[in-house]
Amino acid sequence: MFTLRQVYRRLYWFSYDRKARRQLGACQRFLIIGQTAGDNLLLSTVAWEMAQRGLHDLCVSTPHAPLFTHHPSITRTVPLDWGLLSAAGRLGLAAVNPFYTSPTGEPDCEHPPQRHILAEMCRRSGLTGTIRLRPYFFAQPDELERARPYAGALVFQSSGLSSNQGMRNKEWGPERFAAL
């Protein structure tokens, strides 16, 4: 027996949830992460570790789908849509949002994790046991060939406050990078 409120909520969300079901398809577990390429690369570890524990049919909502194109643990990518996180719960999917920091209540400030970022993301995703602390990117032979001239190069992003999600504690400054 449903209450009037439950019926209203189901009708209210019906069209959005139907769209979400089409987007997510047969995915049984749904992962979502922030907008940046770096955070999405970190998510590759969570997906890999889930698959190692027998959790398959993983979906990722991301603006960086090419990072997951050949990842064997990812069934599907869908465009970044934070509404999918709540829809996944209504659809009975195990939704995971493995952020690794905690808000402090102050603007532009978060508590860093007490363990390695990848270990914290896996813990927040319900994973236990040994975690291999590395991202997983599956480049194709033609991609590797195009990258060959840059073998041995070190690349980093130093945008700090001008990044998509700028934070003062990510502002390291060119003089510190030069010293490094």
Side-chain angles (χ1 to χ4, degrees):
M1 185 83 181
F2 295 108
T3 67
L4 185 57
R5 183 169 189 236
Q6 289 172 318
V7 171
Y8 172 78
R9 286 180 59 80
R10 285 179 185 239
L11 289 173
Y12 179 84
W13 289 109
F14 178 76
S15 63
Y16 188 84
D17 289 350
R18 186 176 53 174
K19 175 186 168 194
R21 173 49 68 199
R22 280 195 310 268
Q23 281 184 296
L24 298 174
C27 294
Q28 295 176 6
R29 192 165 190 95
F30 174 73
L31 304 166
I32 191 165
I33 193 64
Q35 299 172 4
T36 67
D39 283 347
N40 277 262
L41 190 56
L42 294 174
L43 184 63
S44 71
T45 302
V46 178
W48 179 266
E49 293 293 339
M50 285 181 164
Q52 297 308 300
R53 288 158 175 79
L55 302 170
H56 301 286
D57 296 323
L58 305 175
C59 288
V60 177
S61 181
T62 176
H64 302 285
L67 289 175
F68 301 104
T69 300
H70 304 288
H71 195 299
S73 305
I74 302 297
T75 302
R76 175 179 287 190
T77 59
V78 295
L80 181 65
D81 179 352
W82 290 101
L84 285 174
L85 193 58
S86 60
R90 290 189 303 273
L91 296 170
L93 297 175
V96 175
N97 187 9
F99 281 118
Y100 50 86
T101 60
S102 303
T104 63
E106 299 175 34
D108 195 30
C109 186
E110 295 178 338
H111 291 293
Q114 297 299 310
R115 58 180 62 85
H116 192 283
I117 289 172
L118 292 173
E120 181 66 14
M121 290 176 73
C122 288
R123 184 193 68 79
R124 291 185 184 203
S125 301
L127 301 176
T128 59
T130 303
I131 305 294
R132 292 189 62 198
L133 302 176
R134 57 157 291 202
Y136 293 85
F137 178 72
F138 298 91
Q140 297 303 289
D142 64 312
E143 295 169 324
L144 294 172
E145 186 59 37
R146 288 193 311 264
R148 188 177 311 280
Y150 308 101
L154 177 64
V155 179
F156 57 89
Q157 179 183 358
S158 61
S159 61
L161 290 175
S162 63
S163 73
N164 196 7
Q165 296 181 355
M167 294 182 75
R168 285 189 313 265
N169 66 345
K170 291 184 176 183
E171 190 66 40
W172 221 49
E175 66 285 345
R176 292 174 81 187
F177 279 111
L180 177 66

